[in-house]
Amino acid sequence: MPGRSGVRLVGARPVSERLSGHAAAGRRPLLLRGARPLGGPRQDVLVTHEVVATGATAARLAADLHAVRVDVEDLVLLPGLVDLHTHLREPGDEASEDIVSATRAAAAGGFTAVHAMANTDPPTDTVARAEALAQAAAARGVVDVAVVGAVTVGRRGVDVVDIPAMARSRARVRIFSDDGSCVGDPSVMRQALRSAAAAGALVAQHAQEPRLTEDAQVNERRATVELPGWPPVAEDVIVARDCVLGHDLGAPVHICHVSTAGAVDVLRWAKARGTAVTAEVAPHHLLLTDELVGTGDPVYKVNPPLRSAEDVEALRAALADGTIDAVATDHAPHVSSRKSCAWSQASPGMLGLERALAVVLTTMVAPGRLEWAQVADRMAHRPALIGGLADQGRPVAAGEPATLTLVDPTVRWRAAPRSTMSLSDNDPYVGQPLQGQVEATMLRGKVVHLAPGTVRGWPDDVADHLA
Ligand SMILES: [Zn+2]
């Protein structure tokens, strides 16, 4: 149906009305020429702060509106990625990472929203702390930041935080997690699951039975006298317990960084019986194995640890068939002093934001195990649903926010040392052959990342679109 101006209506309002808001922000519309939405056929896509039109309509409107034209022929266009598991390190450890560096790394990796885990110093366990972090992130973050609340006061595993108050607060906390530690006490977990469900929130569990992993350093089959083992069953039993607890209460539960074939079996069983469980896998668990423990380099120390090739295969299969809902980075920066030491003294954790999409492309898309539409599902749509982010992970379609990522799927590369936006350099992918690179990231029409030295060369006008 034509609007007053003769421009067709897209969504609820005429295109002309939506363009005026963008012009007021001092930005011209962008015409992305020859993009491939979700890896499909080439199409022109016209964007302001929203996707205005696609195909022939986009090209026609672009001429009338003097749009900035960018040749992105054959780049895959995805919704901006959403990370469920980011360690910002702010407050308390700004030498390792802060809001600015973490969100820049996120944008460089194609992410337009991240969830800030609660194991900061102090931990995010009160309304005041959650609101302070949300406010700081809104002021200084390059991409959207959703605040994750701790499950228990001080992350000590004893007293459940005031979940309803944090959910109602201006920080709108939707996910609660003691990540870094397991909520080991089943009665505490039961209480948290019940309280979160009543508040429209959910608990995300770091599944690690504490009594089975005391001093654990490496996957159990790599254990030595000096480096005690982390048995895979220590993960499996907590996943099973929490699926059963959640099922009994009708409460949703989310499992962080699944790393074992056994946990995948449990998830498959729980989903088949109708449990409201969701799960994520970290990029390092999709690509790297415990063979790397043999290098002795603590850059490969992570919790849960790198597992066997059989576990990696089970995780890839589970991501492909949807048993695992999402890829989440568990981006965990550490200053070099915490990694340049003996393995047993080193802190667990790895960078991930800037490599996650390439890892998924290399391990899942290139071998034909995931289509691009499924990448959008596992890395944008489902994480946004789990995190309750209404304007993230949306389809690439007219009327939707221009929150987008452009990917060159053909580039083959190896990460160079110290080649990230992070303040830390515990990058386990240095030297690994990877495929695919994020060329540009856009948040509601603002270009928040443009790959340096991109082959295509974007016109200078695009600088106006940079955040
Ligand atoms: Zn964790």
Side-chain angles (χ1 to χ4, degrees):
M1 171 178 113
R4 256 184 309 145
S5 61
V7 182
R8 87 186 164 90
L9 284 171
V10 182
R13 291 168 295 130
V15 166
S16 53
E17 189 180 313
R18 291 212 246 107
L19 291 169
S20 63
H22 195 73
R27 295 199 295 270
R28 290 161 68 194
L30 275 181
L31 182 70
L32 307 172
R33 300 183 64 197
R36 296 173 52 213
L38 305 190
R42 279 185 207 156
Q43 278 191 44
D44 291 349
V45 178
L46 183 69
V47 303
T48 56
H49 56 294
E50 293 175 325
V51 176
V52 176
T54 59
T57 316
R60 185 170 49 77
L61 281 173
D64 296 350
L65 298 166
H66 309 289
V68 179
R69 302 160 90 85
V70 187
D71 176 18
V72 296
E73 202 151 280
D74 292 331
L75 295 190
V76 172
L77 182 62
L78 298 176
L81 310 180
V82 176
D83 190 21
L84 282 168
H85 196 138
T86 303
H87 296 282
L88 291 185
R89 300 299 189 222
E90 183 176 341
D93 185 18
E94 289 86 347
S96 294
E97 197 80 290
D98 60 25
I99 288 168
V100 174
S101 64
T103 55
R104 277 191 184 146
F111 290 91
T112 50
V114 298
H115 285 76
M117 293 314 259
N119 65 336
T120 45
D121 183 15
T124 314
D125 58 359
T126 64
V127 166
R129 287 170 180 171
E131 288 185 341
L133 180 58
Q135 205 171 9
R140 293 189 282 121
V142 174
V143 301
D144 290 351
V145 175
V147 174
V148 175
V151 177
T152 63
V153 176
R155 295 177 52 257
R156 285 188 290 271
V158 181
D159 301 304
V160 176
V161 302
D162 190 344
I163 287 178
M166 290 175 75
R168 276 197 313 268
S169 74
R170 278 173 297 172
R172 297 180 63 248
V173 180
R174 156 85 183 200
I175 299 179
F176 291 83
S177 181
D178 273 1
D179 182 62
S181 306
C182 184
V183 179
D185 184 329
S187 74
V188 172
M189 186 62 176
R190 191 158 190 248
Q191 191 191 333
L193 286 167
R194 182 180 273 144
S195 175
L202 64 89
V203 178
Q205 176 68 294
H206 169 120
Q208 174 180 6
E209 168 53 55
R211 295 296 306 279
L212 293 175
T213 52
E214 283 169 20
D215 304 322
Q217 294 286 330
V218 294
N219 194 21
E220 187 173 51
R221 67 184 197 139
R222 299 277 160 194
T224 60
V225 176
E226 295 79 31
L227 300 178
W230 204 125
V233 290
E235 177 168 322
D236 309 348
V237 293
I238 294 293
V239 175
R241 185 199 77 178
D242 291 350
C243 284
V244 172
L245 287 174
H247 189 93
D248 178 54
L249 294 169
V253 59
H254 178 77
I255 307 297
C256 297
H257 43 54
V258 174
S259 73
T260 69
V264 166
D265 286 342
V266 173
L267 288 167
R268 210 168 262 134
W269 165 80
K271 286 192 166 192
R273 77 193 282 248
T275 307
V277 61
T278 51
E280 68 188 37
V281 61
H284 45 268
H285 290 128
L286 286 173
L287 180 68
L288 310 176
T289 70
D290 60 6
E291 298 284 335
L292 290 162
V293 173
T295 65
D297 186 341
V299 77
Y300 301 116
K301 180 173 174 178
V302 65
N303 192 24
L306 298 179
R307 302 289 191 187
S308 69
E310 291 73 32
D311 291 306
V312 168
E313 173 49 35
L315 295 168
R316 291 179 183 180
L319 184 62
D321 72 19
T323 301
I324 290 179
D325 300 82
V327 175
T329 67
D330 196 6
H331 179 82
H334 286 294
V335 285
S336 58
S337 59
R338 296 208 294 264
K339 286 292 190 181
S340 309
C341 55
W343 184 288
S344 60
Q345 302 304 310
S347 298
M350 305 171 158
L351 301 186
L353 283 169
E354 289 166 81
R355 314 297 186 217
L357 185 62
V359 170
V360 170
L361 180 45
T362 305
T363 60
M364 302 296 296
V365 181
R369 300 184 77 162
L370 275 190
E371 303 288 333
W372 282 107
Q374 294 172 301
V375 174
D377 181 63
R378 310 296 197 270
M379 298 189 77
H381 179 63
R382 284 211 232 183
L385 270 183
I386 293 167
L389 306 181
D391 76 337
Q392 292 275 347
R394 305 289 307 166
V396 180
E400 298 288 353
T403 297
L404 302 166
T405 294
L406 279 159
V407 186
D408 186 335
T410 60
V411 181
R412 291 171 190 276
W413 58 292
R414 285 171 198 262
R418 296 186 181 77
S419 60
T420 82
M421 308 293 275
S422 174
L423 297 180
S424 295
D425 57 12
N426 52 317
D427 178 1
Y429 303 104
V430 170
Q432 291 283 339
L434 293 170
Q435 191 178 335
Q437 211 153 38
V438 174
E439 190 149 328
T441 309
M442 215 175 279
L443 177 67
R444 295 180 284 275
K446 255 187 198 176
V447 179
V448 292
H449 172 76
L450 204 50
T454 114
V455 200
R456 271 154 246 273
W458 290 49
D460 289 346
D461 290 38
V462 172
D464 302 341
H465 294 255
L466 282 166

